Amino acid sequence: MANTPQDPAFDAFVALSARLGAEPLLVQAAGGNTSVKRDGVLWIKASGKLLRTATTEAIFVPVDLARVRAGIAQDLADPTAGTVLGGSTLRPSIETTLHALLPHAVVLHVHSVNALAALVRPDGEARVADRLAGLRWAWVGYRRPGLPLTRAVRAAAAGVDVIALGNHGLVVGAADVAAGERLLRDVEARLAVAPRRAAGADAARLAQAVAAIGYRLPQDPAVHALACDPDCLAYARGGVLYPDHVVFLGGEACVADEPAQAARAIADYRARWPVGPACVLVAGVGVLVAADAPAAAEEMLRCQADVLLRVPPAAPLRFLATTEVAELLDWDAEKFRRSAAH
Ligand SMILES: [Zn+2]
């Protein structure tokens, strides 16, 4: 049972998963997940695995669909416990219960940048409503990924094919792979937003900060928008907006008003959090990342820039509450995912 199916339908599912995983506007790092239901088995992406490696690595884990569903119905603390089939040592995605709950054969869950630009706003539901008109869709306000989110979807999203998750992303369900991709592309097109152009980094002044604190330049220069676009910086100072940002970049931004203050900003951050900041935003100058920052952290910085450049200036945002941030950081399953992604 643990052997991955070898047939054109499963291959098409794997290929779509890899395609979606290779699109930074849909999936970043180990975020996002896909699943297919066949013969009573839910094949779901394993926790910590990258969707973009779907065609080169065994990233899907089979679970007993009926048992997971029964566990959800019984409100078990962990409906996926003991449901992995065939001796797989992979751990099913934290969103497995959500995939199991939905009736569709194919379920695609993405952290869509275009969607997030609306989903992080207090009036996100109204903003997407116009654009999704005519589709069978529902809005589900922010809940912690995992069972709390699954329960909210169960209560609010019966009979729909598209779910807009506040401060989180999109879920699309369909009868087969082709229909799933069509629907997701349609939703993406409806929600598309053109990003602002951002000024680039001030290389000379950024070098001063590098010398002072030992952080390094990011691989992707696009992330400098977070420090160089005044509105991005104001939003970044305001808080965090979706779960994976917290998982990979922590619960608040470390901001220095100028290069000479970068070391002080890091010390202040360390006084409040158990680990140092993965990055420092130097206002009007650019972004630096910790020497050991994993690729996942840099992908999440790019995602943050991509989202915030799609939010118009001075818009109110619905930041995650302190309690919501805390429950993400203390959560064992998320810790596992973070370490697995390194
Ligand atoms: Zn998610």
Side-chain angles (χ1 to χ4, degrees), residues 125-284:
E125 179 176 7
R127 290 188 170 277
V128 296
D130 283 352
R131 300 198 179 204
L132 299 183
L135 300 178
R136 300 198 310 168
W137 76 281
W139 166 268
V140 174
Y142 178 78
R143 297 287 191 289
R144 192 186 78 190
L147 264 185
L149 177 58
T150 298
R151 291 186 182 122
V153 168
R154 180 174 58 180
V160 304
D161 305 315
V162 177
I163 310 172
L165 306 174
N167 291 87
H168 187 155
L170 295 172
V171 179
V172 167
D176 58 43
V177 168
E181 181 167 22
R182 262 199 315 275
L183 182 55
L184 177 58
R185 302 292 182 195
D186 179 23
V187 170
E188 277 293 300
R190 290 164 178 250
L191 297 179
V193 186
R196 284 192 304 285
R197 286 179 62 89
D202 181 335
R205 297 187 70 211
L206 204 52
Q208 294 172 21
V210 169
I213 62 174
Y215 277 41
R216 61 176 171 79
L217 294 173
Q219 308 274 350
D220 182 350
V223 307
H224 293 302
L226 292 168
C228 298
D229 177 275
D231 294 289
C232 284
L233 184 63
Y235 292 139
R237 284 185 199 266
V240 293
L241 291 165
Y242 40 87
D244 271 12
H245 182 96
V246 178
V247 171
F248 292 105
L249 293 173
E252 70 175 40
C254 177
V255 181
D257 287 324
E258 47 188 290
Q261 293 176 7
R264 176 61 186 272
I266 292 173
D268 288 349
Y269 187 101
R270 281 185 185 280
R272 290 193 300 276
W273 297 92
V275 295
C279 65
V280 182
L281 313 183
V282 185

Side-chain angles (χ1 to χ4, degrees), residues 32-33 95 109 111 168:
N33 35 66
E95 324 254 28
H109 168 50
H111 298 158
H168 187 155

